[in-house]
Amino acid sequence: MHELVEKQLACPVCHGPLTEDGLGCQACGLRFSEYQGIPCLFGPGKEDLWAQNQSGLAKLLAENPETAQKLENSPEEALNGADTFAKAALRKEQGRYLEAIALQRAAWQKSYPPEYIACFQAQLDFIAQSLAGVSGPIVDIASGRGMLISRLQKGTAAPLVATDLSPFVLANSLAPLWPEELAGGRLSMLAFDATAMPFQDKSLPVLTTCLGLQNIPNPQLAAKELRRVCAGKLYALCQFFPEDDEKNQQAAARFGLAGAYAQSALAAMMEAAGWRVSFHNGPWLRQPPTPVGQVAPGLHVDALPVEETLGRVATMICE
């Protein structure tokens, strides 16, 4: 853990100071765990939702050995995006994490139109260029597949913190990519819930997230918590659908993400939490649903959109 990060840590429940080992609160006495050396700074009752989803996919493959065998025997070039994603899950179950990471990235490339991917990459470049001169630390919320962290490592010199609700994601989907950065202290990893963050008030100069804010149930709670800990700016790469696209907006609401995929609604949510909001917008582009698995029937890479629509990738800048 980089010393600049250690100094800003606090109990996620009472915001009191942590013990010397960083795994307990001096004020309320709460104790925390760690997973493969990654501190898991959760309040009581918080669960690893991502791991539950993955265990469901692993269970599907375990209960359908013929599907797992077909995935095993199918060359990558013969699989669509959803089946490539399923094969990545299979590799994770086998402990072949670097292969799983490569398959996850291939699945993403196969699942979206080239023009969408180009716009997505342009927003990653915009964030990295905007932060090229900052001293950090830069804390990335819900780092997930690591696309933004990877771009920030190339475009900035600041200490970086990859975070996620899932310590499993951090340890097995991100840590294998950057052993030298972790060993040298430039990159740190923390598992926590973005609606109860383990940082002091106004302690972080820069926050980033890549689609993370839009995948946190009850994003209005995360908006308030991000405002509490941030002393500077938040750069949030987002994906939006038209606000009159009832089917996709209603589908987002069913997932607990009401308003998160409507640009003005998300801006209003952030402003209600005390942020001043602006956008660096990409163009509106055709966006079909991600492909459905053929070898693994019914599987999608992403749940949204549920039907073809226009989509926009944008960076929301909050300060």
Side-chain angles (χ1 to χ4, degrees):
M1 186 69 60
H2 196 281
E3 63 179 0
L4 289 177
V5 180
E6 285 185 338
K7 290 179 180 179
Q8 311 308 332
L9 291 175
C11 175
V13 176
C14 74
H15 308 153
L18 299 186
T19 55
E20 188 174 345
D21 66 0
L23 295 176
C25 177
Q26 296 183 43
C28 69
L30 191 65
R31 290 295 297 174
F32 310 107
S33 63
E34 59 181 2
Y35 177 80
Q36 296 188 26
I38 298 171
C40 301
L41 304 181
F42 295 101
K46 297 297 182 180
E47 297 178 342
D48 185 343
L49 299 178
W50 191 94
Q52 291 178 16
N53 290 337
Q54 283 302 101
S55 65
L57 182 52
K59 183 179 178 182
L60 174 67
L61 294 173
E63 292 176 349
N64 296 273
E66 69 285 353
T67 297
Q69 192 60 47
K70 286 180 182 178
L71 290 169
E72 189 69 60
N73 295 334
S74 298
E76 181 189 321
E77 59 271 18
L79 299 175
N80 71 9
D83 290 327
T84 302
F85 183 72
K87 191 165 184 174
L90 183 62
R91 289 288 179 261
K92 284 186 180 178
E93 288 300 302
Q94 296 166 341
R96 297 159 64 176
Y97 296 117
L98 286 173
E99 291 179 51
I101 292 166
L103 285 167
Q104 276 187 326
R105 293 190 171 184
W108 187 78
Q109 292 283 338
K110 291 180 179 183
S111 298
Y112 289 94
E115 58 272 20
Y116 173 90
I117 291 174
C119 288
F120 196 98
Q121 295 290 349
Q123 294 295 331
L124 294 177
D125 291 342
F126 167 75
I127 295 173
Q129 290 161 7
S130 298
L131 299 178
V134 304
S135 57
I138 299 172
V139 177
D140 187 54
I141 305 299
S143 298
R145 297 168 186 162
M147 288 185 284
L148 181 51
I149 279 283
S150 181
R151 183 64 184 83
L152 291 172
Q153 285 195 74
K154 299 172 185 175
T156 73
L160 302 172
V161 187
T163 77
D164 206 274
L165 180 67
S166 170
F168 181 88
V169 169
L170 295 171
N172 300 314
S173 293
L174 296 185
L177 293 172
W178 305 304
E180 293 181 1
E181 288 81 356
L182 286 166
R186 198 250 166 132
L187 177 64
S188 306
M189 291 190 170
L190 285 172
F192 59 77
D193 175 6
T195 65
M197 295 174 62
F199 295 104
Q200 301 168 29
D201 292 359
K202 303 298 182 186
S203 60
L204 302 176
V206 182
L207 296 172
T208 62
T209 186
C210 178
L211 302 180
L213 183 60
Q214 296 177 295
N215 286 291
I216 300 171
N218 300 314
Q220 66 274 14
L221 296 179
K224 292 178 181 178
E225 186 67 350
L226 292 166
R227 177 69 284 184
R228 179 184 70 81
V229 303
C230 186
K233 291 185 178 182
L234 163 68
Y235 291 81
L237 190 153
C238 300
Q239 171 180 310
F240 295 114
F241 306 131
E243 302 199 16
D244 59 358
D245 179 353
E246 292 185 4
K247 284 202 172 180
N248 285 305
Q249 297 295 351
Q250 289 173 1
R254 288 196 298 272
F255 298 138
L257 303 170
Y261 285 81
Q263 189 163 348
S264 66
L266 185 59
M269 189 186 304
M270 299 302 288
E271 289 168 350
W275 295 98
R276 186 170 71 252
V277 178
S278 60
F279 288 93
H280 179 77
N281 286 320
W284 290 102
L285 299 168
R286 181 186 70 87
Q287 189 172 341
T290 56
V292 182
Q294 297 173 342
V295 179
L299 180 68
H300 283 269
V301 174
D302 288 321
L304 294 171
V306 294
E307 67 173 25
E308 183 166 322
T309 186
L310 293 176
R312 161 185 278 173
V313 184
T315 298
M316 181 171 61
I317 306 160
C318 305
E319 53 189 313

